[in-house]
Amino acid sequence: VQAQLLNGEKTNTKGYYRIVSLNAKDAKAINPEYKEGDQVASGEFIAGQPLSSELFRNLPSGIYRIQLEAKDSKGRDIKNEQDFLLYGKEDKRPPVFTREWLVEEKISCMVGETAEWVYGTSFEEAYVLYEVYNKNRLILRQRIQLNNENKTFKLPFKEEYGDGVMASFTFLKENELYVTQIPVTRKQPD
């Protein structure tokens, strides 16, 4: 939590935080409205000091809102809130309803390293075309089925890939075409 004055200068202050779960009013909407659910955590904060990671470690994957309250230098109440998405690398499905879910774990590699990302969808029976291209040359093509799930993809980076490759996911669902491309680039040694 950071606090700053109107001129952008950082300042020290103490305050209180509250974290609540959020529930979508229409879980399958593209940009759903959320209503506040249960309070899952609360406590004091000191500006400039991070909240304990233990606080978040015990929460299930999902969407949350943190609400902050403090006093300014003149004793006036200051309030702010921010929504955030909490997820784990090992999650079996996206943490909220989403047409496409992507977590880029490692997409810049030196030769011999392995690129890794997580791709998923909340749709049932999504027949996805997964392709990897190097310039105009097809390196890999697979057809996969996803059923409200995430899948981890790993790609060993080879010398022949030059500056990089492009991983692509394509599927058609409910008359909508979904395409996601992930540039996997060659990292140069320091």
Side-chain angles (χ1 to χ4, degrees):
V1 178
Q2 299 292 330
Q4 64 184 31
L5 302 173
L6 289 175
N7 65 6
E9 182 181 325
K10 289 186 180 178
T11 184
N12 291 327
T13 191
K14 290 191 284 187
Y16 297 93
Y17 70 86
R18 177 176 176 255
I19 299 175
V20 295
S21 62
L22 295 179
N23 302 311
K25 290 181 180 176
D26 178 1
K28 294 190 176 186
I30 292 176
N31 293 311
E33 289 184 45
Y34 290 100
K35 62 182 179 182
E36 291 186 5
D38 296 332
Q39 177 176 307
V40 296
S42 64
E44 292 185 9
F45 72 86
I46 298 173
Q49 295 182 7
L51 297 177
S52 169
S53 61
E54 288 299 315
L55 176 71
F56 302 100
R57 193 168 289 140
N58 297 324
L59 296 176
S61 295
I63 190 163
Y64 296 89
R65 176 172 293 147
I66 186 168
Q67 300 166 328
L68 305 165
E69 293 185 22
K71 301 261 184 206
D72 70 6
S73 59
K74 295 189 171 143
R76 296 176 293 202
D77 289 334
I78 304 295
K79 296 181 181 182
N80 195 9
E81 62 183 27
Q82 178 69 49
D83 295 350
F84 64 96
L85 190 61
L86 193 61
Y87 65 91
K89 181 180 173 188
E90 302 302 321
D91 285 354
K92 303 287 186 226
R93 64 186 49 86
V96 293
F97 180 86
T98 183
R99 282 135 177 84
E100 293 184 283
W101 175 253
L102 177 65
V103 178
E104 297 173 344
E105 290 290 329
K106 183 174 183 172
I107 60 167
S108 181
C109 301
M110 289 195 283
V111 172
E113 293 182 332
T114 300
E116 183 177 344
W117 57 90
V118 176
Y119 180 81
T121 180
S122 297
F123 286 125
E124 296 289 339
E125 295 185 17
Y127 297 95
V128 181
L129 179 62
Y130 166 52
E131 299 173 308
V132 178
Y133 287 92
N134 178 245
K135 297 187 179 171
N136 293 327
R137 188 172 63 92
L138 178 66
I139 296 170
L140 173 69
R141 176 178 283 155
Q142 294 178 348
R143 287 173 181 80
I144 56 173
Q145 181 180 354
L146 296 176
N147 288 296
N148 187 25
E149 64 184 303
N150 295 333
K151 182 172 172 63
T152 299
F153 293 84
K154 296 181 180 187
L155 181 70
F157 199 93
K158 299 178 182 177
E159 179 71 41
E160 64 202 55
Y161 295 168
D163 290 337
V165 296
M166 183 69 70
S168 178
F169 294 91
T170 307
F171 70 96
L172 183 67
K173 194 70 177 175
E174 297 175 354
N175 295 321
E176 291 286 331
L177 181 65
Y178 298 94
V179 179
T180 295
Q181 294 186 322
I182 306 161
V184 181
T185 58
R186 183 176 190 161
K187 183 164 60 171
Q188 300 299 324
D190 295 333

